[in-house]
Amino acid sequence: MKKLLVALACFVGFSAQAGMIDVELSDTNPGIGDTVQVSILGSGFDAFDTLTVDLEFDTHLFAIDNLNTFGEIDPTTVSSDLAVAGLTSTGGFLALSAQTFGVALTFLDFDLFAGGDFTIASFSLTAITNGVSDFELANIIASDFFLGPVSAEASDTTVRAKVSAPTTLSLFVITGLALLGFRRKAQL
C-alpha cells in the first residue's frame, strides 16, 4: 500500500506539462490592404535554449511586411520576449523567414530562456486579395542543450481569417445616388 501511495504521489507530483503555443490575429475579417498583427504566444513552458515553429497560412492572401533581401522579416519590426531586434543579450538570435507555406521561426540562445508565459513573436501581414485562410502552427520543436527535448505543442484552436473586398453593390448605389443628386440640382 505504501508503494502504491508513493507511485501515485510521483505521478501527480512529476506530471509533465507541455508548453502550449497559440496564434492570435488582431483582425480575423480584414479588407484588402488592411494590416493584420499576428502574435505567436507561448505558455506553460519549461526552460529552453532552442525553439522552432512554423506558421502556415495562405501566402496568396497575405503578404509578409518588411522582408529583407534574404527573405527574413526585419527584426526591428518584430516584437518578442525572446530577443530584441533579432539578437539576444547572450549572443543568441531570433529569426523569422518567409516560406512558401507562411513563416518559419527559429530561436537559439546559449543561455536558457526561463519559459513560463511569453510572446514568441509578433509581426504584421497585409491582406492582398479575397479569400479565407487558416493560420496553423506546425513543426514545433523546443529543447534544452543539456537536458534534451522540452515538451511543446500547438493549441487545438485554428484561427481562420476571411479577407473581403468592399461590396461593389454598395459602391454602385452610392454612385447612383450621387448622380441623381447632381441631376436634380441641375434641373432646379
Side-chain angles (χ1 to χ4, degrees):
M1 184 67 171
K2 289 181 186 179
K3 290 181 183 180
L4 177 63
L5 290 175
V6 170
L8 288 174
C10 286
F11 283 125
V12 171
F14 297 118
S15 63
Q17 178 182 349
M20 296 298 290
I21 298 178
D22 200 8
V23 62
E24 292 181 358
L25 303 178
S26 62
D27 187 2
T28 57
N29 194 15
I32 294 175
D34 289 350
T35 300
V36 177
Q37 192 69 25
V38 178
S39 297
I40 303 173
L41 307 170
S43 63
F45 268 79
D46 291 333
F48 60 92
D49 295 305
T50 64
L51 177 66
T52 60
V53 177
D54 292 341
L55 178 62
E56 298 175 348
F57 58 90
D58 189 343
T59 56
H60 295 99
L61 298 180
F62 292 95
I64 302 168
D65 297 342
N66 304 313
L67 288 178
N68 64 22
T69 55
F70 302 109
E72 292 183 351
I73 299 174
D74 180 6
T76 59
T77 64
V78 176
S79 63
S80 173
D81 292 336
L82 296 176
V84 177
L87 295 175
T88 66
S89 60
T90 57
F93 71 93
L94 172 69
L96 278 93
S97 59
Q99 305 292 324
T100 57
F101 58 79
V103 174
L105 175 138
T106 303
F107 169 74
L108 170 68
D109 201 340
F110 299 105
D111 192 17
L112 282 174
F113 182 77
D117 298 343
F118 57 98
T119 299
I120 297 170
S122 183
F123 56 93
S124 61
L125 302 174
T126 302
I128 55 176
T129 189
N130 292 339
V132 177
S133 177
D134 290 336
F135 284 76
E136 296 183 34
L137 297 163
N139 303 325
I140 299 170
I141 301 171
S143 71
D144 176 346
F145 287 131
F146 298 108
L147 299 178
V150 173
S151 183
E153 58 188 48
S155 68
D156 293 336
T157 57
T158 298
V159 179
R160 176 166 284 172
K162 179 181 180 185
V163 180
S164 56
T167 59
T168 54
L169 180 61
S170 64
L171 293 176
F172 283 126
V173 170
I174 292 171
T175 304
L177 289 174
L179 289 174
L180 285 174
F182 288 134
R183 183 173 180 210
R184 191 172 196 185
K185 217 177 203 184
Q187 289 178 350
L188 293 176

